[in-house]
């Protein structure tokens, strides 16, 4: 029961963002063609293609392509970061979890929010001052450029690929649920649009698509919340009183339950969410789009506000759905209240939209849900393309001798390649249970990218050998333990008993990454290690002051 409810909340959680057990969108039922949703989605697509055309005219250099020339304001970047983090599944999955479990769902929702203070106070300023295009710029600042950039690029691509699989499969399943279109058609559509946004518009287009999507999601969610809340006289007492009376668990929904009763799973999940967010390459890239460290801090401040507000909206939507949707036989298969929801367990918020706003509002929210996937996959594709072109091609293969034109060409080729790969993987994984990939994404980000990134900024003793040893240990243990976990070893591979008893390995893989990194560094007595330690002072001054940091190219 516990795993099924976790899965209910997080079958698609992306950018935003969740870790879950298997089964979130199994047995998706194709719905009737939603004409209003398709019409509204087409309006969004046409508008964003217009933005892409405008952005293409402003994208002349690698700085423009990767970071929008550093000319995005803190407020704009905060909206874009929030857009990266608030996914369609945040709206669908977390609302459904609150609908199913009440206060437990609230606790789960808060867990996605707690990583932002770490980014705000420990990382934002240093990321902007030390980096230029990718987080590998920071990790390799005083370490061996070729080896660290190669490792960082493959770490980023691993996270991006796992995330893209989840997004593409999620897109196909969501469109079956919401639009009534065929799975493969949805996957191809998302892939083509992603390639257009990234290849022609770069970061400028991706940023503005995210900003528009964030505004639509915030606006649509807020309007839906107000419409639903108005039915309770805008009284929390009425809302929660009726929810307790309507829910089969009664007053128990107002207290912590057994959703994460196992303390090791709870702590491990918390590790992944808390530190994995700070290791997501498409989130880290956003800090290079602002002109200076002050705007980077503003970005996180605004993003935290937008995300926090949206999660509060999600809570009210989930509780409102208990009363409005949970007692209406029109939203259950066969009209049996308390049975299976029409369209699946992720649909309470969509049924709520229809109940309080009619088919037009349902169509609008459906279009916004699909638009969020387009925006997130564009950011992921750009992060992957930059890792290939900037880190591997320009810095490792060409040793920094590649021209801007050559790097741009490779970036666009990589964008198309990632888009085609995403389409193929989305179709290949169509009938597979992909929820474990969400856990793996955050586990890898927390175990591979985050330890190297944070230690490179704060620890003088970090060496190239330690970073490589620790990163590889984190990657192998995160992937290996997920494969051996119940989510894969039992439910996917069909074995009787899991070798590793927990679905979330971050508590072990992340700890192992830090320990091995420390061990590899303190035992490194080479001359290179001494030079790397000596270079920390210069890095520290730049991290604190911004002296020598890459400046904005466009405003």
């Amino acid at each position: 029961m516990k795993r099924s409810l976790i899965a209910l909340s997080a079958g698609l959680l992306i950018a935003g963002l969740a870790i879950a057990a298997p089964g979130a969108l199994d047995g998706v039922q194709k719905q009737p063609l939603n004409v209003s949703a398709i019409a509204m989605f087409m309006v969004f697509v046409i508008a964003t293609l217009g933005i892409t055309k405008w952005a293409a005219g402003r994208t002349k250099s690698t700085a423009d392509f990767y970071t929008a020339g550093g000319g995005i304001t803190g407020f704009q970047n905060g909206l874009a970061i929030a857009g990266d983090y608030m996914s369609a599944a945040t709206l669908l999955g977390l609302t459904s979890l609150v609908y199913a479990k009440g206060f437990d769902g609230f606790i789960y929702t808060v867990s996605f929010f707690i990583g932002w203070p770490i980014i705000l106070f420990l990382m934002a300023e240093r990321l902007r001052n030390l980096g230029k295009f990718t987080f590998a710029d920071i990790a390799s600042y005083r370490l061996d450029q070729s080896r660290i950039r190669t490792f960082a690029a493959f770490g980023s691509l691993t996270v991006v690929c796992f995330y893209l699989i989840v997004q593409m499969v999620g897109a196909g399943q969501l469109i079956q649920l919401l639009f009534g279109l065929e799975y493969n058609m949805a996957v191809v559509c998302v892939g083509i649009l992603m390639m257009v946004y990234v290849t022609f518009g770069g970061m400028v287009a991706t940023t503005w698509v995210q900003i528009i999507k964030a505004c639509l999601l915030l606006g649509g969610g807020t309007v839906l919340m107000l419409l639903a809340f108005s039915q309770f006289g805008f009284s929390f007492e009425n809302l929660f009183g009726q929810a307790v009376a309507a829910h089969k668990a009664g007053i128990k929904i107002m207290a912590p339950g057994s959703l994460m009763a196992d303390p090791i799973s709870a702590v491990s999940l918390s590790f992944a969410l808390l530190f994995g967010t700070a290791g997501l390459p498409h989130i880290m890239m956003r800090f290079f789009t602002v002109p200076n460290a002050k705007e980077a801090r503003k970005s996180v401040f605004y993003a935290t506000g937008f995300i926090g507000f949206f999660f509060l909206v999600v809570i009210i939507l989930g509780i409102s759905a208990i009363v409005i949707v949970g007692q209406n036989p029109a939203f259950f298969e066969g009209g049996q209240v308390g049975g299976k929801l029409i369209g699946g367990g992720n649909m309470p918020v969509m049924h709520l939209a229809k109940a309080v706003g009619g088919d037009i509002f349902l169509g609008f929210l459906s279009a916004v849900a699909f638009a969020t996937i387009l925006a997130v996959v564009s950011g992921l594709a750009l992060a992957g393309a930059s890792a290939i072109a900037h880190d591997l091609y320009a810095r490792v293969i060409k040793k920094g001798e590649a021209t801007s034109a050559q790097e741009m060409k490779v970036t666009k080729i990589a964008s198309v390649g990632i888009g085609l790969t995403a389409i193929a993987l989305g179709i290949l994984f169509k009938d597979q249970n992909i929820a474990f990939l969400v856990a793996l994404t955050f586990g890898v980000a927390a175990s591979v990218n985050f330890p190297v990134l944070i230690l490179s900024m704060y620890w003088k003793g970090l060496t190239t050998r330690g970073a490589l040893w620790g990163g590889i240990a984190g990657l192998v243990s995160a992937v290996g333990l997920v494969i051996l976990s119940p989510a894969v070893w039992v439910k996917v591979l069909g074995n009787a008993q899991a070798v590793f008893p927990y679905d979330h390995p971050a508590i072990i893989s992340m700890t192992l990454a830090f320990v091995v990194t420390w061990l590899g560094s303190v035992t490194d007595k080479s001359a290179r290690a001494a030079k790397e330690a000596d270079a920390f002072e210069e890095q520290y001054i730049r991290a604190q002051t911004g002296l020598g940091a890459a400046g904005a190219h466009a405003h």
Side-chain angles (χ1 to χ4, degrees):
M1 182 63 178
K2 178 181 73 174
R3 291 194 180 105
S4 65
L5 285 168
I6 295 173
L8 179 71
S9 73
L12 297 175
L13 259 287
I14 53 189
L17 299 158
I19 311 296
L25 288 175
D26 293 344
V28 170
Q29 175 183 343
K30 184 179 175 182
Q31 301 299 298
L33 200 66
N34 190 329
V35 177
S36 60
I38 294 175
M40 291 178 189
F41 174 69
M42 291 307 298
V43 170
F44 174 85
V45 169
I46 292 170
T48 51
L49 288 176
I51 290 172
T52 303
K53 182 179 179 181
W54 164 78
R58 295 170 57 92
T59 303
K60 304 298 184 183
S61 66
T62 50
D64 294 330
F65 192 88
Y66 293 136
T67 64
I72 304 297
T73 68
F75 179 78
Q76 293 168 344
N77 198 43
L79 265 176
I81 291 173
D84 267 323
Y85 205 73
M86 298 183 305
S87 68
T90 305
L91 178 66
L92 297 174
L94 291 181
T95 305
S96 69
L97 186 58
V98 175
Y99 168 84
K101 294 290 287 183
F103 187 77
D104 264 1
F106 175 74
I107 294 175
Y108 203 87
T109 301
V110 169
S111 68
F112 300 115
F113 186 67
I114 58 178
W116 288 101
I118 289 180
I119 297 176
L120 174 60
F121 294 111
L122 295 181
M123 301 181 69
E125 185 173 341
R126 295 183 183 225
L127 282 168
R128 180 59 188 86
N129 286 338
L130 293 174
K132 186 177 181 181
F133 294 153
T134 68
F135 92 89
D137 293 333
I138 300 155
S140 65
Y141 188 90
R142 60 188 173 89
L143 306 181
D144 183 87
Q145 289 280 323
S146 295
R147 287 191 288 171
I148 294 298
R149 283 189 182 276
T150 301
F151 162 75
F154 280 103
S156 294
L157 287 170
T158 302
V159 173
V160 166
C161 284
F162 289 146
Y163 231 169
L164 277 175
I165 293 173
V166 174
Q167 294 308 309
M168 301 305 284
V169 175
Q173 295 181 338
L174 262 183
I175 302 321
Q176 283 181 283
L177 286 170
L178 303 178
F179 292 156
L181 298 180
E182 291 293 340
Y183 174 90
N184 289 355
M185 183 186 301
V187 169
V188 172
C189 177
V190 171
I192 291 174
L193 287 171
M194 173 184 72
M195 287 186 280
V196 171
Y197 293 152
V198 176
T199 304
F200 294 101
M203 181 58 85
V204 178
T206 301
T207 297
W208 282 101
V209 168
Q210 281 288 16
I211 289 173
I212 292 173
K213 164 252 173 149
C215 291
L216 289 173
L217 195 58
L218 284 167
T222 302
V223 171
L224 178 58
M225 177 199 70
L226 292 173
L227 289 173
F229 203 18
S230 67
Q231 299 201 11
F232 303 93
F234 296 102
S235 168
F236 284 106
E237 184 178 358
N238 289 340
L239 171 62
F240 286 98
Q242 291 188 44
V244 167
H247 200 281
K248 61 183 179 181
I251 193 63
K252 290 183 179 179
I253 68 166
M254 300 303 296
S258 59
L259 185 62
M260 294 301 292
D262 176 9
I264 294 181
S265 293
V267 173
S268 194
L269 174 63
S270 299
F271 271 36
L273 295 178
L274 180 61
F275 302 110
T277 302
L280 295 174
H282 64 297
I283 297 291
M284 297 300 102
M285 275 191 75
R286 291 243 157 253
F287 292 98
F288 311 131
T289 65
V290 292
N292 51 53
K294 179 181 177 181
E295 294 299 311
R297 290 193 301 272
K298 284 184 179 179
S299 298
V300 187
F301 176 78
Y302 286 123
T304 303
F306 292 133
I307 294 166
F309 170 76
F310 185 71
F311 283 168
L312 292 176
V313 168
V314 163
I315 303 303
I316 297 177
L317 293 178
I319 297 296
S320 299
I322 292 174
V323 180
I324 298 172
V325 175
Q327 299 184 104
N328 191 335
F331 299 122
F332 292 89
E333 292 185 3
Q336 183 180 354
V337 173
K340 186 176 180 181
L341 282 171
I342 294 175
N346 280 302
M347 293 298 282
V349 70
M350 290 300 168
H351 294 319
L352 182 65
K354 184 172 183 178
V356 301
D359 285 332
I360 297 298
F361 195 76
L362 172 62
F364 167 76
L365 211 60
S366 300
V368 170
F370 195 20
T372 60
I373 290 181
L374 282 179
V376 172
V377 296
S378 298
L380 287 167
L382 186 59
S386 65
I388 294 172
H390 178 64
D391 294 326
L392 292 179
Y393 174 76
R395 297 294 175 178
V396 176
I397 297 175
K398 288 292 187 177
K399 308 294 183 184
E401 300 296 326
T403 65
S404 178
Q406 289 175 324
E407 191 171 337
M408 285 279 287
K409 182 179 180 180
V410 173
T411 305
K412 293 185 176 183
I413 293 172
S415 300
V416 174
I418 289 174
L420 293 174
T421 302
I423 292 172
L425 289 173
I427 294 174
L428 180 65
F429 279 76
K430 174 181 178 180
D431 297 318
Q432 297 298 313
N433 191 315
I434 49 82
F436 72 91
L437 288 174
V438 186
L440 187 55
T441 299
F442 275 81
V444 169
S447 305
V448 181
N449 295 345
F450 175 73
V452 173
L453 187 59
I454 197 73
L455 290 176
S456 68
M457 291 192 288
Y458 281 94
W459 186 36
K460 180 179 181 178
L462 181 68
T463 67
T464 298
R465 187 178 80 174
L468 291 175
W469 282 14
I472 292 170
L475 177 62
V476 172
S477 60
V479 175
L481 290 177
V482 167
I483 292 174
L484 298 176
S485 72
V488 181
W489 196 254
V490 176
K491 296 185 180 297
V492 176
L493 300 180
N495 294 293
Q497 187 174 356
V499 179
F500 180 70
Y502 306 105
D503 284 333
H504 311 298
I507 190 173
I508 293 177
S509 57
M510 180 179 150
T511 303
L512 183 65
F514 273 108
V515 170
V516 173
T517 300
W518 170 80
L519 184 62
S521 296
V522 297
T523 57
D524 188 352
K525 305 300 181 182
S526 65
R528 179 173 190 88
K531 290 181 180 179
E532 290 169 351
D534 291 340
F536 181 79
E537 184 176 353
E538 186 270 333
Q539 175 187 312
Y540 179 79
I541 294 172
R542 174 163 161 176
Q544 295 288 63
T545 64
L547 293 174
H553 293 254
H555 297 280

